[in-house]
């Protein structure tokens, strides 16, 4: 055999072209790329507006009209745009992914166009089974009108028409509804969608004879007074978002081509709730659910704005996360920050009304913005043993700002600390402990100290050593009973006298307690590992109030079992007063102590019963 014939062919393989299943692609668009079939109308408006923009780039005085006519399951959209020649139709409408904005030297002017991805009319197949386009080019006036007709099976035809078929430059798109989609092409639905998508478009857009544009935008209109403007914007917010705002904030970022307004929500929302904003791109509504437009701390506003600089994603229903969006987010956050600073300086009543609802948002901002924290110190509310105060007022009253990191710790110590003259701030709510710890940085000379069990105990009066020695037997029984619960018993004298016992612990003690419980329930391997983690953290303590009459009576009892039961009852009552979650062992202790006290209370001498 000839050696040459045994070698593989060195000829280049013939190229092949991908075949596209148009029906499958339409299903992909409708179920995965676009959130709703309604985007078909946005695509039609977008193509019409872009065609007008392209024509006006060459003919500034060209007409700028878009007309939509819906009737009997069909829709006709006419525009006075740049139009297409037969070669344009073959290269643009018949090639998925091609964009007219890439041709004829218009690449440098693409920022003037809404469309960026060349999907165009393909989206119309979501609601239409047939699309017919008739167009005449403004760039080539002598060219005959051309017709492109396509079906949802992927087939299409192109033919030239007589000159009289369309005498003026521009394009007309005809849609015929697919089965089950006729409602999307009804006049009422088309009018509603056109108003929603195109209310801020700069051209003459009409459904039939009815204009759909509402220009200038509400935030750009002249008003007789600031109060009148505030009322008008509140009405706009109610129509758009369904609520009447506490206030409105102008969002004007000329360098990013942004104009709009932020509306302050009238009720509190969770910081974790993602806010949704309305964004128009060059007048066309891009999305009603832009979540990444503002900093996370600005969850108390809803925005509507128009921009010419932000980049849409492929579906044109959200914003592309890039450096431009990050810069815009920072600039819009600065506008809201400036509004807050302005309220603090000139309108304290409105600021107080705002903070009564949205203090969490401002606290979230102040965590990372020292200047904002300094500005808001006289206004931000905190729960304290002196009532609801600002940190500024609290620091003026107390040389040391004591605070707890959890609500449970605050509830343990607040009544006792207050009676001893020790001021405490509850740092257990969202962001509060971070702000309290940042206080010395914005208020020089302020001393901040976390309040723990040792500090509280140190502020309680010690009992006379002779009296405590006389009660050593009672304290020994009480300590022995609570030792299995990793809790010590100490005797102090404190006010208010009505409090018989106080349960104190700190995070280290709770961690050690949790570790010990896990060790008891673990197998040998894990028990050994957990045992090696045993710390020297102080144990929780039950502080008995020697001034309380009940404690005095219990300490005089002579029966060890009764002392133990009473001690368990005091321990359980102290836990409940602190509103601490009960462990299974604590619940069992409460139940045992309750039954024990009932048995003791109902116990009678059998001899007395016989004498009856």
């Amino acid at each position: 055999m000839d050696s040459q014939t045994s070698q593989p062919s060195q000829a280049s393989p013939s190229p092949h072209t991908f075949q596209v299943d148009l029906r499958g692609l339409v299903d992909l668009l409708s179920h995965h790329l676009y959130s709703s079939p309604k985007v078909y109308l946005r695509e039609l408006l977008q193509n019409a507006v872009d065609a007008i923009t392209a024509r006006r780039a060459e003919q500034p005085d060209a007409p700028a009209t878009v007309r939509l006519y819906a009737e009997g399951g069909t829709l006709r959209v006419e525009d006075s745009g740049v139009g297409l020649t037969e070669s344009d139709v073959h290269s643009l409408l018949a090639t998925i992914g091609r964009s007219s904005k890439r041709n004829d030297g218009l690449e440098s002017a693409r920022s003037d166009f809404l469309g960026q991805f060349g999907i165009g009319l393909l989206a119309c197949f979501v609601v239409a089974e047939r699309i017919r386009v008739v167009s005449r080019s403004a760039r080539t006036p002598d060219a005959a009108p051309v017709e492109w007709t396509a079906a949802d099976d992927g087939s299409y035809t192109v033919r030239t028409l007589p000159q009289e078929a369309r005498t003026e430059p521009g394009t007309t798109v005809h849609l015929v509804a697919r089965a089950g989609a006729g409602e999307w092409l009804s006049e009422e639905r088309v009018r509603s969608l056109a108003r929603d998508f195109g209310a801020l478009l700069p051209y003459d857009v009409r459904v039939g004879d009815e204009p759909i544009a509402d220009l200038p935008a509400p935030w750009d209109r002249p008003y007789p007074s600031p109060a009148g403007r505030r009322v008008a914007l509140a009405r706009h917010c109610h129509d758009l978002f369904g609520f009447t705002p506490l206030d409105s904030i102008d969002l004007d970022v000329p360098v990013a081509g942004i104009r709009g307004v932020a509306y302050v929500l009238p009720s509190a929302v969770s910081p974790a709730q993602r806010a949704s904003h309305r964004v128009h791109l060059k007048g066309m509504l891009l999305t009603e659910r832009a979540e990444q437009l503002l900093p996370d701390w600005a969850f108390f506003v809803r925005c509507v704005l128009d921009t010419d600089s932000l980049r849409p994603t492929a579906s044109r229903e959200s914003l592309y996360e890039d450096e431009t969006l990050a810069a815009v987010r920072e600039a819009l956050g600065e506008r809201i920050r400036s509004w807050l600073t302005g309220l603090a300086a000139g309108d304290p009543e409105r600021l107080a009304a705002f903070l009564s609802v949205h203090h969490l948002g401002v606290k979230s901002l102040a965590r990372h913005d020292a200047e904002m924290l300094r500005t808001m110190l006289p206004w931000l509310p905190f729960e304290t043993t002196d009532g609801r105060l600002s940190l500024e007022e609290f620091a003026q009253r107390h040389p040391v700002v004591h605070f707890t990191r959890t609500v449970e710790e605050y509830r343990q110590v607040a009544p006792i600390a207050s009676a001893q003259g020790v001021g405490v701030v509850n740092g257990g709510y969202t962001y509060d402990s971070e702000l309290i710890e940042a206080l010395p940085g914005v208020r020089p000379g302020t001393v901040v100290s976390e309040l723990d069990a040792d500090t509280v105990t140190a502020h309680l009066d010690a009992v006379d050593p002779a009296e405590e020695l006389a009660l050593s037997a009672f304290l020994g029984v009480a300590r022995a009973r609570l030792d299995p619960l990793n809790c010590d018993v100490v005797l102090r004298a404190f006010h208010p006298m009505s409090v018989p016992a106080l349960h104190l612990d700190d995070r280290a003690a709770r961690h050690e307690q949790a570790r010990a419980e896990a060790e008891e329930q673990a197998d040998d391997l894990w028990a050994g590992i957990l045992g090696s983690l045993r710390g020297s953290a102080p144990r929780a303590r039950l502080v008995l109030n020697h001034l309380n009459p009940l404690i005095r009576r219990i300490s005089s009892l002579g029966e060890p079992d009764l002392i133990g039961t009473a001690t368990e009852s005091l321990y359980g009552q102290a836990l409940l007063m602190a509103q601490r979650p009960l462990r299974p062992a604590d619940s069992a202790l409460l139940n045992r102590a309750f039954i024990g006290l009932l048995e003791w209370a109902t116990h009678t001498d059998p001899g007395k019963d016989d004498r009856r």
Side-chain angles (χ1 to χ4, degrees):
M1 180 182 291
D2 188 349
S3 62
Q4 291 183 347
T5 62
S6 64
Q7 298 296 321
S9 174
Q10 300 299 312
S12 300
S14 299
H16 298 281
T17 302
F18 282 107
Q19 301 299 309
V20 177
D21 179 355
L22 186 57
R23 286 178 174 169
L25 188 56
V26 168
D27 180 73
L28 179 67
L29 290 174
S30 60
H31 290 94
H32 299 283
L33 183 62
Y34 295 129
S35 62
S36 166
K38 70 181 183 180
V39 297
Y40 88 91
L41 192 69
R42 185 195 62 204
E43 295 292 340
L44 289 173
L45 285 176
Q46 175 183 290
N47 287 342
V49 169
D50 283 346
I52 293 172
T53 302
R55 184 177 180 185
R56 284 202 155 186
E58 302 174 5
Q59 305 173 18
D61 59 347
T65 62
V66 181
R67 297 291 182 266
L68 298 92
Y69 304 96
E71 182 180 1
T74 64
L75 175 65
R76 184 172 85 255
V77 181
E78 302 176 353
D79 70 65
S80 59
V82 69
L84 302 171
T85 63
E86 183 176 359
S87 61
D88 292 334
V89 168
H90 282 291
S91 64
L92 300 177
L93 298 186
T95 305
I96 296 171
R98 183 73 61 85
S99 173
S100 61
K101 291 79 176 176
R102 300 179 185 273
N103 295 275
D104 302 307
L106 289 176
E107 178 67 25
S108 61
R110 290 185 71 209
S111 62
D112 294 331
F113 297 97
L114 300 175
Q116 298 285 318
F117 298 93
I119 296 176
L121 289 175
L122 188 63
C124 293
F125 280 118
V126 173
V127 297
E129 66 177 9
R130 185 161 54 89
I131 302 174
R132 176 172 167 258
V133 178
V134 177
S135 189
R136 182 165 190 155
S137 174
R139 294 194 181 114
T140 313
D142 296 336
V146 61
E147 176 190 73
W148 176 83
T149 304
D152 62 1
D153 62 0
S155 62
Y156 73 94
T157 60
V158 179
R159 66 188 181 107
T160 57
L161 301 177
Q163 293 285 349
E164 61 271 15
R166 185 176 179 105
T167 57
E168 296 296 327
T171 301
T172 301
V173 179
H174 302 262
L175 301 186
V176 177
R178 64 192 305 156
E183 192 271 338
W184 288 103
L185 271 60
S186 67
E187 183 176 10
E188 181 179 357
R189 177 57 70 91
V190 168
R191 182 182 297 107
S192 174
L193 293 178
R195 284 175 176 166
D196 201 33
F197 284 119
L200 301 184
L201 288 175
Y203 301 141
D204 180 11
V205 183
R206 301 176 182 239
V207 176
D209 295 327
E210 183 177 341
I212 60 99
D214 188 20
L215 294 175
W219 49 86
D220 286 330
R221 296 173 190 168
Y223 295 98
S225 66
R229 185 176 192 272
R230 190 176 298 121
V231 170
L233 289 178
R235 186 182 306 114
H236 174 250
C237 176
H238 189 275
D239 294 341
L240 202 62
F241 293 116
F243 65 85
T244 301
L246 283 178
D247 206 347
S248 56
I249 308 168
D250 284 323
L251 302 177
D252 184 9
V253 187
V255 70
I258 286 177
R259 288 283 296 156
V261 63
Y263 293 116
V264 181
L265 291 166
S267 56
V269 293
S270 167
Q273 179 177 327
R274 299 293 293 179
S276 296
H277 311 288
R278 286 176 65 96
V279 177
H280 295 257
L281 181 61
K282 304 178 185 71
M284 182 76 75
L285 178 65
L286 179 71
T287 178
E288 300 173 277
R289 299 185 301 275
E291 295 183 348
Q292 68 273 48
L293 187 65
L294 295 181
D296 290 341
W297 56 261
F299 54 82
F300 51 84
V301 299
R302 296 291 180 271
C303 296
V304 54
L305 55 82
D306 188 25
T307 176
D308 59 17
S309 64
L310 297 179
R311 178 183 171 191
T313 58
S315 67
R316 289 190 286 278
E317 293 189 287
S318 59
L319 299 172
Y320 188 82
E321 186 68 51
D322 57 10
E323 292 182 358
T324 301
L325 179 57
V328 165
R329 183 163 48 234
E330 178 61 30
L332 294 180
E334 183 57 38
R335 294 295 182 274
I336 299 173
R337 185 185 290 108
S338 298
W339 170 78
L340 285 169
T341 304
L343 288 186
D347 201 338
E349 290 186 2
R350 284 172 65 195
L351 178 61
F354 166 77
L355 289 177
S356 68
V357 179
H358 296 300
H359 55 274
L360 273 183
V362 180
K363 287 181 177 181
S364 176
L365 168 61
R367 289 183 304 156
H368 308 295
D369 188 328
E371 187 58 37
M372 179 57 63
L373 177 57
R374 185 178 293 107
T375 301
M376 289 296 155
L377 268 183
W379 306 101
L380 288 175
F382 287 78
E383 183 180 1
T384 79
T385 49
D386 292 354
R388 198 161 181 80
L389 300 176
S390 69
L391 285 181
E392 176 66 30
E393 186 174 357
F394 186 86
Q396 290 174 357
R397 296 184 181 186
H398 299 277
V400 178
V401 178
H402 292 288
F403 75 99
T404 63
R405 290 192 181 275
T406 69
V407 175
E408 291 79 8
E409 290 173 347
Y410 178 80
R411 288 170 178 164
Q412 286 180 45
V413 304
I416 309 304
S418 179
Q420 311 306 311
V422 179
V424 185
V425 182
N426 185 354
Y429 295 114
T430 307
Y431 311 132
D432 282 7
S433 61
E434 296 175 71
L435 296 178
I436 297 167
E437 290 182 301
L439 191 55
V442 298
R443 194 178 188 274
T446 303
V447 179
V448 172
S449 176
E450 182 176 355
L451 194 66
D452 56 19
D454 288 334
T455 304
V456 176
T457 305
H459 279 84
L460 305 180
D461 294 335
V463 177
D464 181 84
E467 292 189 54
E468 186 167 3
L469 181 61
L471 298 175
S472 58
F474 158 72
L475 292 174
V477 173
R479 287 166 180 156
R481 185 59 68 96
L482 295 187
D483 185 68
L485 297 173
N486 293 312
C487 181
D488 290 332
V489 177
V490 296
L491 188 66
R492 292 289 187 273
F494 56 86
H495 293 275
M497 293 174 54
S498 58
V499 177
L502 177 66
H503 181 271
L504 294 177
D505 63 1
D506 52 28
R507 283 172 297 159
R510 288 195 294 275
H511 290 167
E512 173 61 20
Q513 193 175 64
R515 186 210 59 78
E517 291 176 357
E519 182 180 356
E520 290 179 2
Q521 300 173 7
D523 56 29
D524 292 342
L525 174 61
W526 282 108
I529 294 174
L530 291 170
S532 67
L533 299 177
R534 182 181 294 110
S536 58
R539 305 204 303 172
R541 67 199 68 176
L542 182 68
V543 183
L544 302 180
N545 187 0
H546 188 54
L547 301 180
N548 182 267
L550 177 61
I551 296 298
R552 288 181 175 273
R553 289 196 295 270
I554 293 175
S555 65
S556 64
L557 295 174
E559 300 181 34
D561 287 343
L562 185 53
I563 292 174
T565 300
T567 302
E568 289 179 337
S569 300
L570 290 169
Y571 173 86
Q573 189 263 353
L575 285 180
L576 294 175
M577 289 297 293
Q579 301 183 40
R580 293 290 306 277
L582 299 180
R583 300 169 297 160
D586 297 329
S587 298
L589 175 144
L590 276 172
N591 183 64
R592 182 173 65 248
F594 177 71
I595 296 299
L597 289 178
L598 284 179
E599 290 179 345
W600 177 81
T602 57
H603 176 73
T604 57
D605 188 335
K608 292 183 180 179
D609 289 341
D610 292 341
R611 287 193 295 271
R612 291 178 185 174

